[in-house]
Amino acid sequence: MFAEKFSYFFIAFAVFILLKALVFYRSVPMVNILFYISMAISLLCSNVPRVVDIPLHYAYPIKMVEYFTFFVSLICFIVLCFRHVL
């Protein structure tokens, strides 16, 4: 019960980040947009299966998308940190 509330919060936060990325895609650098989108997709892929029952044969592809977008967002975060430092 309590874990579902966190999952719903993270889903809402991911939708907010996705909408923010789509609204500011012309005025913000592309690395920021890619970071926002990959972070939102990773959050959605990790929390939607906790709330919605999905077929078992979709679990592995969703987990791989989650891992891929998490690592893309990690790389974007590192690039953003380097841009800030330099």
Side-chain angles (χ1 to χ4, degrees):
M1 178 87 176
F2 195 65
E4 280 187 14
K5 291 181 183 180
F6 274 128
S7 294
Y8 282 124
F9 170 75
F10 285 130
I11 290 169
F13 185 65
V15 169
F16 170 74
I17 292 172
L18 195 59
L19 289 175
K20 182 180 175 182
L22 294 175
V23 167
F24 294 119
Y25 78 96
R26 289 199 186 251
S27 60
V28 177
M30 191 56 118
V31 177
N32 291 32
I33 300 299
L34 185 60
F35 177 62
Y36 290 153
I37 290 175
S38 60
M39 189 170 45
I41 291 173
S42 178
L43 280 172
L44 286 173
C45 287
S46 65
N47 289 305
V48 168
R50 293 179 185 173
V51 177
V52 178
D53 290 332
I54 60 168
L56 200 54
H57 61 276
Y58 290 137
Y60 183 74
I62 289 175
K63 191 56 92 173
M64 290 298 109
V65 168
E66 177 190 352
Y67 290 152
F68 176 74
T69 56
F70 175 73
F71 288 121
V72 167
S73 66
L74 192 67
I75 290 169
C76 290
F77 180 74
I78 292 169
V79 168
L80 286 171
C81 287
F82 280 146
R83 280 183 53 195
H84 182 71
V85 169
L86 299 176

